[in-house]
Amino acid sequence: MPIHDWTRSSDAAYHSFQLDWSCQLSERLNKGVLPRPVYAMSETIELRPPAGFCPLPEPGGPVVLRHWDETLLDATEQPPETRFQFRDDRRQYACRVVTIRDDLHRPVAAVFWVTRQDKETPYRLEAIIRHAVAALTRDINLLVVDLFPPSVRDPQGIHKAI
């Protein structure tokens, strides 16, 4: 079915569409489509990896506090340990999903929307695939909506990647 070419739109425009669509779908499902006590709700899934802070080792012996009058070492004598980090300045939009839950609040079905960022960012694509496989292996019915053409990371499309 022909649909708007979202590759020509900004990420913000697609995010707005995705957010509105998920809210409207939840509302429509809850107003007469789903039998009670089953209900739909729009949720956000976190796709970013957890922030990794440098591990701080436990001291090997007793901690000795310095007095204020001790001289500190010059950074040129003992340079600090460093590491390089790369920063992605693009705005990261949330991943929206509509879940249909039973009377015990367990998900029984879900609708995922794939974004351009999901296809361009390796960890986001891996997270989408991981969430989809987790849902399917737990017998949760899943609809994946991918309005973007296949990319380098999913050359045969997101459904084949899953």
Side-chain angles (χ1 to χ4, degrees):
M1 172 174 87
I3 196 157
H4 178 75
D5 183 3
W6 287 103
T7 60
R8 297 179 5 188
S9 299
S10 70
D11 288 340
Y14 183 77
H15 177 69
S16 176
F17 162 76
Q18 180 188 29
L19 180 61
D20 188 50
W21 197 7
S22 64
C23 292
Q24 294 291 329
L25 179 61
S26 296
E27 183 179 347
R28 178 67 183 114
L29 289 172
N30 288 328
K31 290 187 177 180
V33 174
L34 293 174
R36 295 209 184 270
V38 178
Y39 64 96
M41 64 186 291
S42 177
E43 299 183 51
T44 301
I45 294 180
E46 181 60 61
L47 298 178
R48 291 177 290 192
F53 294 100
C54 60
L56 299 174
E58 292 295 322
V63 177
V64 179
L65 299 176
R66 291 183 184 219
H67 295 289
W68 64 272
D69 60 344
E70 285 188 41
T71 58
L72 297 174
L73 293 176
D74 185 5
T76 57
E77 295 174 18
Q78 186 176 2
E81 292 184 24
T82 60
R83 63 184 173 126
F84 293 99
Q85 292 184 335
F86 296 95
R87 184 179 164 133
D88 184 0
D89 290 329
R90 293 179 302 176
R91 181 168 286 162
Q92 294 288 320
Y93 289 100
C95 178
R96 302 300 302 176
V97 61
V98 171
T99 57
I100 291 84
R101 295 178 174 269
D102 65 11
D103 56 342
L104 299 176
H105 310 294
R106 295 178 302 211
V108 295
V111 180
F112 280 30
W113 282 271
V114 178
T115 69
R116 179 177 22 228
Q117 289 179 339
D118 297 337
K119 293 184 150 217
E120 290 177 353
T121 313
Y123 70 81
R124 286 181 69 108
L125 183 62
E126 290 168 11
I128 286 282
I129 292 170
R130 199 171 45 252
H131 280 11
V133 169
L136 293 170
T137 57
R138 289 171 176 80
D139 292 328
I140 297 171
N141 296 295
L142 184 63
L143 171 63
V144 179
V145 180
D146 182 4
L147 302 178
F148 296 94
S151 69
V152 174
R153 291 184 174 74
D154 65 332
Q156 296 177 327
I158 191 73
H159 297 85
K160 185 73 171 178
I162 294 170

PDB file of all heavy atoms in Angstrom, residues 119-142:
ATOM      1  N   LYS A 119      17.264   2.312  12.265  1.00  0.00           N
ATOM      2  CA  LYS A 119      17.968   1.646  11.175  1.00  0.00           C
ATOM      3  C   LYS A 119      19.388   2.171  10.996  1.00  0.00           C
ATOM      4  O   LYS A 119      20.252   1.459  10.501  1.00  0.00           O
ATOM      5  CB  LYS A 119      17.183   1.809   9.875  1.00  0.00           C
ATOM      6  CG  LYS A 119      15.877   1.064   9.912  1.00  0.00           C
ATOM      7  CD  LYS A 119      15.185   1.159   8.586  1.00  0.00           C
ATOM      8  CE  LYS A 119      14.363  -0.085   8.410  1.00  0.00           C
ATOM      9  NZ  LYS A 119      14.334  -0.581   7.081  1.00  0.00           N
ATOM     10  N   GLU A 120      19.644   3.413  11.393  1.00  0.00           N
ATOM     11  CA  GLU A 120      20.964   4.018  11.195  1.00  0.00           C
ATOM     12  C   GLU A 120      21.913   3.770  12.360  1.00  0.00           C
ATOM     13  O   GLU A 120      23.126   3.883  12.196  1.00  0.00           O
ATOM     14  CB  GLU A 120      20.821   5.529  10.999  1.00  0.00           C
ATOM     15  CG  GLU A 120      20.179   5.912   9.689  1.00  0.00           C
ATOM     16  CD  GLU A 120      19.975   7.407   9.556  1.00  0.00           C
ATOM     17  OE1 GLU A 120      20.221   8.155  10.540  1.00  0.00           O
ATOM     18  OE2 GLU A 120      19.557   7.845   8.475  1.00  0.00           O
ATOM     19  N   THR A 121      21.383   3.483  13.531  1.00  0.00           N
ATOM     20  CA  THR A 121      22.206   3.346  14.731  1.00  0.00           C
ATOM     21  C   THR A 121      22.288   1.879  15.129  1.00  0.00           C
ATOM     22  O   THR A 121      21.265   1.275  15.437  1.00  0.00           O
ATOM     23  CB  THR A 121      21.603   4.173  15.889  1.00  0.00           C
ATOM     24  OG1 THR A 121      21.273   5.473  15.402  1.00  0.00           O
ATOM     25  CG2 THR A 121      22.557   4.277  17.048  1.00  0.00           C
ATOM     26  N   PRO A 122      23.486   1.298  15.116  1.00  0.00           N
ATOM     27  CA  PRO A 122      23.609  -0.141  15.376  1.00  0.00           C
ATOM     28  C   PRO A 122      22.963  -0.597  16.684  1.00  0.00           C
ATOM     29  O   PRO A 122      22.232  -1.583  16.697  1.00  0.00           O
ATOM     30  CB  PRO A 122      25.122  -0.384  15.393  1.00  0.00           C
ATOM     31  CG  PRO A 122      25.695   0.720  14.578  1.00  0.00           C
ATOM     32  CD  PRO A 122      24.791   1.899  14.797  1.00  0.00           C
ATOM     33  N   TYR A 123      23.208   0.109  17.787  1.00  0.00           N
ATOM     34  CA  TYR A 123      22.658  -0.373  19.053  1.00  0.00           C
ATOM     35  C   TYR A 123      21.140  -0.265  19.091  1.00  0.00           C
ATOM     36  O   TYR A 123      20.477  -1.074  19.737  1.00  0.00           O
ATOM     37  CB  TYR A 123      23.295   0.339  20.257  1.00  0.00           C
ATOM     38  CG  TYR A 123      22.940   1.794  20.432  1.00  0.00           C
ATOM     39  CD1 TYR A 123      21.737   2.161  21.026  1.00  0.00           C
ATOM     40  CD2 TYR A 123      23.803   2.787  20.027  1.00  0.00           C
ATOM     41  CE1 TYR A 123      21.412   3.496  21.197  1.00  0.00           C
ATOM     42  CE2 TYR A 123      23.482   4.120  20.192  1.00  0.00           C
ATOM     43  CZ  TYR A 123      22.283   4.466  20.783  1.00  0.00           C
ATOM     44  OH  TYR A 123      21.953   5.780  20.959  1.00  0.00           O
ATOM     45  N   ARG A 124      20.565   0.704  18.385  1.00  0.00           N
ATOM     46  CA  ARG A 124      19.099   0.821  18.358  1.00  0.00           C
ATOM     47  C   ARG A 124      18.486  -0.325  17.550  1.00  0.00           C
ATOM     48  O   ARG A 124      17.482  -0.905  17.949  1.00  0.00           O
ATOM     49  CB  ARG A 124      18.679   2.165  17.774  1.00  0.00           C
ATOM     50  CG  ARG A 124      18.909   3.323  18.727  1.00  0.00           C
ATOM     51  CD  ARG A 124      18.452   4.626  18.121  1.00  0.00           C
ATOM     52  NE  ARG A 124      17.007   4.680  17.995  1.00  0.00           N
ATOM     53  CZ  ARG A 124      16.208   5.430  18.753  1.00  0.00           C
ATOM     54  NH1 ARG A 124      16.730   6.187  19.693  1.00  0.00           N
ATOM     55  NH2 ARG A 124      14.918   5.434  18.567  1.00  0.00           N
ATOM     56  N   LEU A 125      19.098  -0.659  16.404  1.00  0.00           N
ATOM     57  CA  LEU A 125      18.584  -1.763  15.597  1.00  0.00           C
ATOM     58  C   LEU A 125      18.701  -3.074  16.368  1.00  0.00           C
ATOM     59  O   LEU A 125      17.767  -3.879  16.385  1.00  0.00           O
ATOM     60  CB  LEU A 125      19.318  -1.849  14.263  1.00  0.00           C
ATOM     61  CG  LEU A 125      18.797  -2.928  13.311  1.00  0.00           C
ATOM     62  CD1 LEU A 125      17.345  -2.650  12.925  1.00  0.00           C
ATOM     63  CD2 LEU A 125      19.668  -3.013  12.080  1.00  0.00           C
ATOM     64  N   GLU A 126      19.832  -3.289  17.013  1.00  0.00           N
ATOM     65  CA  GLU A 126      20.007  -4.507  17.820  1.00  0.00           C
ATOM     66  C   GLU A 126      18.974  -4.570  18.942  1.00  0.00           C
ATOM     67  O   GLU A 126      18.434  -5.642  19.232  1.00  0.00           O
ATOM     68  CB  GLU A 126      21.423  -4.550  18.402  1.00  0.00           C
ATOM     69  CG  GLU A 126      22.494  -4.797  17.360  1.00  0.00           C
ATOM     70  CD  GLU A 126      23.901  -4.560  17.896  1.00  0.00           C
ATOM     71  OE1 GLU A 126      24.069  -4.413  19.128  1.00  0.00           O
ATOM     72  OE2 GLU A 126      24.826  -4.515  17.069  1.00  0.00           O
ATOM     73  N   ALA A 127      18.681  -3.438  19.569  1.00  0.00           N
ATOM     74  CA  ALA A 127      17.698  -3.413  20.655  1.00  0.00           C
ATOM     75  C   ALA A 127      16.295  -3.709  20.135  1.00  0.00           C
ATOM     76  O   ALA A 127      15.529  -4.443  20.777  1.00  0.00           O
ATOM     77  CB  ALA A 127      17.730  -2.068  21.367  1.00  0.00           C
ATOM     78  N   ILE A 128      15.929  -3.140  18.973  1.00  0.00           N
ATOM     79  CA  ILE A 128      14.619  -3.424  18.380  1.00  0.00           C
ATOM     80  C   ILE A 128      14.492  -4.917  18.094  1.00  0.00           C
ATOM     81  O   ILE A 128      13.478  -5.546  18.407  1.00  0.00           O
ATOM     82  CB  ILE A 128      14.425  -2.611  17.074  1.00  0.00           C
ATOM     83  CG1 ILE A 128      14.157  -1.150  17.390  1.00  0.00           C
ATOM     84  CG2 ILE A 128      13.316  -3.188  16.208  1.00  0.00           C
ATOM     85  CD1 ILE A 128      12.752  -0.841  17.842  1.00  0.00           C
ATOM     86  N   ILE A 129      15.509  -5.494  17.491  1.00  0.00           N
ATOM     87  CA  ILE A 129      15.486  -6.926  17.168  1.00  0.00           C
ATOM     88  C   ILE A 129      15.395  -7.749  18.450  1.00  0.00           C
ATOM     89  O   ILE A 129      14.617  -8.705  18.546  1.00  0.00           O
ATOM     90  CB  ILE A 129      16.711  -7.311  16.318  1.00  0.00           C
ATOM     91  CG1 ILE A 129      16.604  -6.657  14.939  1.00  0.00           C
ATOM     92  CG2 ILE A 129      16.862  -8.822  16.215  1.00  0.00           C
ATOM     93  CD1 ILE A 129      17.860  -6.758  14.103  1.00  0.00           C
ATOM     94  N   ARG A 130      16.176  -7.369  19.467  1.00  0.00           N
ATOM     95  CA  ARG A 130      16.159  -8.081  20.745  1.00  0.00           C
ATOM     96  C   ARG A 130      14.769  -8.028  21.386  1.00  0.00           C
ATOM     97  O   ARG A 130      14.244  -9.031  21.863  1.00  0.00           O
ATOM     98  CB  ARG A 130      17.228  -7.482  21.667  1.00  0.00           C
ATOM     99  CG  ARG A 130      17.631  -8.365  22.802  1.00  0.00           C
ATOM    100  CD  ARG A 130      18.852  -7.854  23.579  1.00  0.00           C
ATOM    101  NE  ARG A 130      18.815  -6.443  23.885  1.00  0.00           N
ATOM    102  CZ  ARG A 130      19.580  -5.517  23.300  1.00  0.00           C
ATOM    103  NH1 ARG A 130      20.450  -5.859  22.379  1.00  0.00           N
ATOM    104  NH2 ARG A 130      19.489  -4.250  23.643  1.00  0.00           N
ATOM    105  N   HIS A 131      14.130  -6.842  21.371  1.00  0.00           N
ATOM    106  CA  HIS A 131      12.780  -6.709  21.945  1.00  0.00           C
ATOM    107  C   HIS A 131      11.768  -7.534  21.153  1.00  0.00           C
ATOM    108  O   HIS A 131      10.884  -8.169  21.734  1.00  0.00           O
ATOM    109  CB  HIS A 131      12.353  -5.252  21.960  1.00  0.00           C
ATOM    110  CG  HIS A 131      12.915  -4.444  23.082  1.00  0.00           C
ATOM    111  ND1 HIS A 131      13.907  -4.873  23.908  1.00  0.00           N
ATOM    112  CD2 HIS A 131      12.594  -3.210  23.529  1.00  0.00           C
ATOM    113  CE1 HIS A 131      14.192  -3.959  24.796  1.00  0.00           C
ATOM    114  NE2 HIS A 131      13.404  -2.922  24.586  1.00  0.00           N
ATOM    115  N   ALA A 132      11.888  -7.510  19.830  1.00  0.00           N
ATOM    116  CA  ALA A 132      10.953  -8.266  18.995  1.00  0.00           C
ATOM    117  C   ALA A 132      11.089  -9.770  19.236  1.00  0.00           C
ATOM    118  O   ALA A 132      10.082 -10.474  19.409  1.00  0.00           O
ATOM    119  CB  ALA A 132      11.190  -7.942  17.524  1.00  0.00           C
ATOM    120  N   VAL A 133      12.310 -10.256  19.271  1.00  0.00           N
ATOM    121  CA  VAL A 133      12.531 -11.683  19.517  1.00  0.00           C
ATOM    122  C   VAL A 133      12.041 -12.062  20.916  1.00  0.00           C
ATOM    123  O   VAL A 133      11.412 -13.110  21.107  1.00  0.00           O
ATOM    124  CB  VAL A 133      14.021 -12.040  19.320  1.00  0.00           C
ATOM    125  CG1 VAL A 133      14.331 -13.438  19.816  1.00  0.00           C
ATOM    126  CG2 VAL A 133      14.403 -11.897  17.852  1.00  0.00           C
ATOM    127  N   ALA A 134      12.284 -11.198  21.891  1.00  0.00           N
ATOM    128  CA  ALA A 134      11.814 -11.474  23.252  1.00  0.00           C
ATOM    129  C   ALA A 134      10.291 -11.571  23.290  1.00  0.00           C
ATOM    130  O   ALA A 134       9.732 -12.458  23.951  1.00  0.00           O
ATOM    131  CB  ALA A 134      12.297 -10.388  24.210  1.00  0.00           C
ATOM    132  N   ALA A 135       9.620 -10.673  22.580  1.00  0.00           N
ATOM    133  CA  ALA A 135       8.156 -10.715  22.549  1.00  0.00           C
ATOM    134  C   ALA A 135       7.675 -12.004  21.888  1.00  0.00           C
ATOM    135  O   ALA A 135       6.790 -12.694  22.412  1.00  0.00           O
ATOM    136  CB  ALA A 135       7.608  -9.493  21.809  1.00  0.00           C
ATOM    137  N   LEU A 136       8.242 -12.334  20.742  1.00  0.00           N
ATOM    138  CA  LEU A 136       7.796 -13.517  20.012  1.00  0.00           C
ATOM    139  C   LEU A 136       8.070 -14.812  20.775  1.00  0.00           C
ATOM    140  O   LEU A 136       7.259 -15.735  20.746  1.00  0.00           O
ATOM    141  CB  LEU A 136       8.459 -13.561  18.635  1.00  0.00           C
ATOM    142  CG  LEU A 136       8.032 -12.439  17.681  1.00  0.00           C
ATOM    143  CD1 LEU A 136       8.912 -12.427  16.443  1.00  0.00           C
ATOM    144  CD2 LEU A 136       6.566 -12.568  17.322  1.00  0.00           C
ATOM    145  N   THR A 137       9.199 -14.890  21.464  1.00  0.00           N
ATOM    146  CA  THR A 137       9.506 -16.111  22.220  1.00  0.00           C
ATOM    147  C   THR A 137       8.646 -16.239  23.473  1.00  0.00           C
ATOM    148  O   THR A 137       8.582 -17.314  24.057  1.00  0.00           O
ATOM    149  CB  THR A 137      10.999 -16.167  22.622  1.00  0.00           C
ATOM    150  OG1 THR A 137      11.329 -15.009  23.375  1.00  0.00           O
ATOM    151  CG2 THR A 137      11.881 -16.271  21.389  1.00  0.00           C
ATOM    152  N   ARG A 138       7.978 -15.170  23.860  1.00  0.00           N
ATOM    153  CA  ARG A 138       7.067 -15.215  25.011  1.00  0.00           C
ATOM    154  C   ARG A 138       5.599 -15.274  24.550  1.00  0.00           C
ATOM    155  O   ARG A 138       4.693 -14.960  25.299  1.00  0.00           O
ATOM    156  CB  ARG A 138       7.301 -14.004  25.901  1.00  0.00           C
ATOM    157  CG  ARG A 138       8.625 -14.096  26.647  1.00  0.00           C
ATOM    158  CD  ARG A 138       8.966 -12.791  27.352  1.00  0.00           C
ATOM    159  NE  ARG A 138      10.175 -12.892  28.132  1.00  0.00           N
ATOM    160  CZ  ARG A 138      11.412 -12.816  27.651  1.00  0.00           C
ATOM    161  NH1 ARG A 138      11.599 -12.659  26.357  1.00  0.00           N
ATOM    162  NH2 ARG A 138      12.456 -12.895  28.451  1.00  0.00           N
ATOM    163  N   ASP A 139       5.399 -15.653  23.292  1.00  0.00           N
ATOM    164  CA  ASP A 139       4.058 -15.781  22.707  1.00  0.00           C
ATOM    165  C   ASP A 139       3.266 -14.485  22.734  1.00  0.00           C
ATOM    166  O   ASP A 139       2.042 -14.498  22.889  1.00  0.00           O
ATOM    167  CB  ASP A 139       3.268 -16.905  23.384  1.00  0.00           C
ATOM    168  CG  ASP A 139       3.845 -18.274  23.078  1.00  0.00           C
ATOM    169  OD1 ASP A 139       4.384 -18.448  21.972  1.00  0.00           O
ATOM    170  OD2 ASP A 139       3.762 -19.160  23.947  1.00  0.00           O
ATOM    171  N   ILE A 140       3.955 -13.361  22.589  1.00  0.00           N
ATOM    172  CA  ILE A 140       3.287 -12.062  22.472  1.00  0.00           C
ATOM    173  C   ILE A 140       3.136 -11.774  20.984  1.00  0.00           C
ATOM    174  O   ILE A 140       4.119 -11.780  20.244  1.00  0.00           O
ATOM    175  CB  ILE A 140       4.110 -10.954  23.171  1.00  0.00           C
ATOM    176  CG1 ILE A 140       4.223 -11.249  24.666  1.00  0.00           C
ATOM    177  CG2 ILE A 140       3.491  -9.589  22.921  1.00  0.00           C
ATOM    178  CD1 ILE A 140       5.184 -10.345  25.408  1.00  0.00           C
ATOM    179  N   ASN A 141       1.904 -11.586  20.530  1.00  0.00           N
ATOM    180  CA  ASN A 141       1.657 -11.262  19.126  1.00  0.00           C
ATOM    181  C   ASN A 141       2.306  -9.922  18.822  1.00  0.00           C
ATOM    182  O   ASN A 141       2.236  -8.999  19.629  1.00  0.00           O
ATOM    183  CB  ASN A 141       0.158 -11.208  18.856  1.00  0.00           C
ATOM    184  CG  ASN A 141      -0.483 -12.551  19.071  1.00  0.00           C
ATOM    185  OD1 ASN A 141      -0.193 -13.492  18.359  1.00  0.00           O
ATOM    186  ND2 ASN A 141      -1.343 -12.645  20.065  1.00  0.00           N
ATOM    187  N   LEU A 142       2.920  -9.816  17.656  1.00  0.00           N
ATOM    188  CA  LEU A 142       3.712  -8.628  17.352  1.00  0.00           C
ATOM    189  C   LEU A 142       3.442  -8.139  15.932  1.00  0.00           C
ATOM    190  O   LEU A 142       3.422  -8.915  14.986  1.00  0.00           O
ATOM    191  CB  LEU A 142       5.200  -8.965  17.509  1.00  0.00           C
ATOM    192  CG  LEU A 142       6.200  -7.852  17.321  1.00  0.00           C
ATOM    193  CD1 LEU A 142       6.006  -6.769  18.372  1.00  0.00           C
ATOM    194  CD2 LEU A 142       7.611  -8.406  17.395  1.00  0.00           C
TER     195      LEU A 142
END
